[in-house]
């Protein structure tokens, strides 16, 4: 077994679990806006729902970032603001834009999680 000789303490296990859960939750939030999964549903195309979804993006990420152990160097990216030209008008009305934005935030965390796993396994 690959991990039979690896011993993790309670703190390491807890940190890895918290980081893993927050990463998955960010990716789930991204999938809410993925155009072929849920946004065929008229609810996700509704302008008000899209505005609320964008307003909650920084709230979701901030709450999850309070739990995980990662250091972020660009809080605008985590908050979904000033990420690309036109984001201030795309994200509140276009589900696809939120899908790309939040999936990139979640994938960054997944990269951090993979790096964390590498450190724990070596």
């Amino acid at each position: 077994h690959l991990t039979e000789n690896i011993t993790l303490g309670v703190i390491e296990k807890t940190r890895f679990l918290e980081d893993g859960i927050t990463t998955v939750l960010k990716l789930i939030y991204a999938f809410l806006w993925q155009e072929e999964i849920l946004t065929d549903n008229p609810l996700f195309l509704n302008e008000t729902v899209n505005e609320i979804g964008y307003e909650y993006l920084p709230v979701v990420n901030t709450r999850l970032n309070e739990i995980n152990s990662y250091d972020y160097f660009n809080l605008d990216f985590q908050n979904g603001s000033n990420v690309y030209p036109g984001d201030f008008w795309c994200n509140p009305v276009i589900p696809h834009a939120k899908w790309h934005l939040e999936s990139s935030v979640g994938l960054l965390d997944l990269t951090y999680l993979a790096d964390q796993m590498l450190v724990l396994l070596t």
Side-chain angles (χ1 to χ4, degrees), residues 27 37 48 58 80 104 108 113-114:
L27 292 170
I37 302 298
T48 303
S104 64
L108 173 64
L113 187 67

Side-chain angles (χ1 to χ4, degrees), residues 2-113:
L2 179 63
T3 59
E4 67 186 31
N5 294 326
I6 296 174
T7 305
L8 298 178
V10 173
I11 293 172
E12 291 167 318
K13 286 179 185 177
T14 302
R15 180 176 294 144
F16 187 76
L17 183 62
E18 289 172 344
D19 292 346
I21 289 170
T22 58
T23 298
V24 168
L25 290 174
K26 285 183 182 184
L27 292 170
I28 288 171
Y29 193 71
F31 267 103
L32 290 177
W33 308 106
Q34 205 282 337
E35 63 274 10
E36 293 183 14
I37 302 298
L38 295 175
T39 57
D40 280 343
N41 183 323
L43 174 70
F44 286 92
L45 298 174
N46 178 285
E47 186 176 323
T48 303
V49 171
N50 271 276
E51 287 177 21
I52 292 169
Y54 180 60
E55 289 175 14
Y56 269 92
L57 190 140
V59 174
V60 168
N61 290 335
T62 299
R63 296 293 178 252
L64 293 173
N65 292 346
E66 290 171 354
I67 297 168
N68 71 33
S69 67
Y70 305 138
D71 293 322
Y72 299 103
F73 302 101
N74 186 339
L75 292 181
D76 280 347
F77 179 66
Q78 290 294 311
N79 291 327
S81 60
N82 300 315
V83 177
Y84 60 88
D87 65 356
F88 65 94
W89 64 266
C90 280
N91 287 315
V93 296
I94 302 171
H96 186 85
K98 282 182 286 302
W99 153 245
H100 278 251
L101 178 61
E102 187 63 13
S103 63
S104 64
V105 170
L107 290 173
L108 173 64
D109 283 17
L110 187 60
T111 302
Y112 285 155
L113 187 67

